[in-house]
Amino acid sequence: MSTKVAFIGLGIMGYPMAENLLKAGYDVTAYNRSPEKAQALASSGGRAAASVAEAVREAEVIITMVPDSPDVEEVLTGEDGILGNAAQGALWVDTSTIRPDVTMSLAEQAREQGLRPVDAPVSGGEQGAIDAALSIMVGGSEEDFEAARPVLEAVGRTIVHVGPSGSGQTVKAANQLIVAGNIGMLAEALVFLEAHHVDTDAALKVLGGGLAGSKVLDQKGQKMLDRSFDPGFRLELHHKDMGIVTAAAREAGVVAPLAALVAQLVGSTVRQGNGHLDHSGLFTIVEQLSGRSGDSSDTTGGGR
């Protein structure tokens, strides 16, 4: 019989991850606050649960993919949550991106209740989730990592154990800092190039072939040129993540001035009502600061 997996949270990343688990042969029962998503997964061969408790009751592996630390805490410790309803020995894999200190606290609570906690935040955006090509940084015991590996291999391509509980979230915070910094610099470079009336398509091609090349440039450069910011990863979530970065840096006594600057830029973009855009939408604030926003105020797509 196939391994029974409960999947909690079917958002932009969660839904394709759950679909890939089905394709890999896992028996998936899903719960989502908006039940339509769970019903859609059921039509693809999974099962829809009406509550977290129903989803996890018979699960051997429980995967959570929800927006923020309070959401994970509620799913785990709430009256209808994982701790009160999951079977002893079940593996709990949290693929959300949350605070490392919260992860360590929740992992300890899970262990006390007989669960095996693994923090496994993911990177790669919506396309990476669709392609089962995510990069997954895993915290937890070596034994629990090995137990989780087959499930993670159904949704990711680069899967690395980085240390004890909380380590996965710490590495993910560093990942989000690097991504946001790259997006910010790419945005500045493109505004700079447009101001000099350079052929920006040609510029992206040659930049991508040199030391400036990156996955951020490959995936986000054209979106910026097209002013097409349909979300693969929402700015409001990256805003949350940059809060994690700056708080964790302060806690460790680490000076991170570039993190603070890009966090302010992301925060400003969100406060202007653009939190629903893809994080490449950081381009909009860079344009505004340069006085070059022009007709790009319609940030839902299109272009010039």
Side-chain angles (χ1 to χ4, degrees):
M1 295 179 64
S2 59
T3 301
K4 294 182 178 180
V5 176
F7 204 106
I8 314 300
L10 299 173
I12 288 175
M13 302 285 286
Y15 191 88
M17 290 169 67
E19 279 199 315
N20 283 326
L21 287 167
L22 286 173
K23 292 174 185 176
Y26 288 95
D27 181 354
V28 180
T29 299
Y31 171 76
N32 193 65
R33 284 181 294 187
S34 303
E36 297 81 10
K37 290 285 190 74
Q39 293 296 335
L41 191 73
S43 69
S44 297
R47 285 181 286 184
S51 65
V52 172
E54 181 185 339
V56 306
R57 198 163 283 130
E58 297 181 2
E60 299 162 79
V61 180
I62 300 162
I63 300 176
T64 46
M65 175 53 105
V66 294
D68 203 351
S69 301
D71 303 296
V72 176
E73 188 167 13
E74 175 62 26
V75 166
L76 184 71
T77 66
E79 183 177 349
D80 193 40
I82 295 169
L83 289 186
N85 295 281
Q88 291 281 307
L91 191 66
W92 170 43
V93 181
D94 183 31
T95 61
S96 317
T97 297
I98 66 172
R99 287 166 40 191
D101 60 328
V102 172
T103 287
M104 289 185 282
S105 174
L106 295 180
E108 183 59 33
Q109 293 180 57
R111 279 190 289 268
E112 290 173 356
Q113 294 296 317
L115 300 181
R116 296 181 292 161
V118 172
D119 51 295
V122 304
S123 179
E126 181 183 17
Q127 195 59 52
I130 292 169
D131 295 339
L134 295 167
S135 179
I136 309 177
M137 43 230 84
V138 186
S141 72
E142 185 72 38
E143 180 182 3
D144 291 341
F145 166 67
E146 290 300 334
R149 186 197 290 273
V151 173
L152 296 175
E153 287 176 343
V155 299
R157 185 173 297 161
T158 303
I159 303 159
V160 180
H161 184 224
V162 295
S165 294
S167 300
Q169 297 295 353
T170 302
V171 175
K172 179 59 187 291
N175 179 88
Q176 295 304 81
L177 168 56
I178 293 169
V179 170
N182 271 313
I183 288 174
M185 291 305 297
L186 176 60
E188 289 188 16
L190 292 182
V191 170
F192 168 77
L193 291 170
E194 288 185 341
H196 283 279
H197 307 291
V198 170
D199 181 338
T200 48
D201 290 328
L204 279 183
K205 182 177 180 179
V206 70
L207 290 171
L211 192 59
S214 68
K215 289 185 178 180
V216 167
L217 188 151
D218 292 343
Q219 296 181 20
K220 306 299 180 179
Q222 196 61 49
K223 290 176 73 72
M224 292 181 185
L225 293 183
D226 294 342
R227 276 67 172 178
S228 177
F229 302 126
D230 292 335
F233 185 77
R234 296 192 304 276
L235 266 165
E236 60 190 0
L237 292 178
H238 216 133
H239 178 46
K240 177 262 298 183
D241 293 348
M242 292 308 298
I244 292 172
V245 171
T246 52
R250 183 169 58 249
E251 182 181 347
V254 172
V255 176
L258 296 180
L261 177 57
V262 74
Q264 290 295 311
L265 290 171
V266 172
S268 177
T269 312
V270 171
R271 290 297 298 167
Q272 291 189 37
N274 287 328
H276 63 290
L277 300 182
D278 183 76
H279 50 176
S280 57
L282 187 60
F283 182 84
T284 62
I285 195 70
V286 175
E287 274 198 311
Q288 289 176 31
L289 290 171
S290 298
R292 300 187 61 84
S293 54
D295 296 333
S296 66
S297 57
D298 177 9
T299 56
T300 58
R304 301 184 199 172

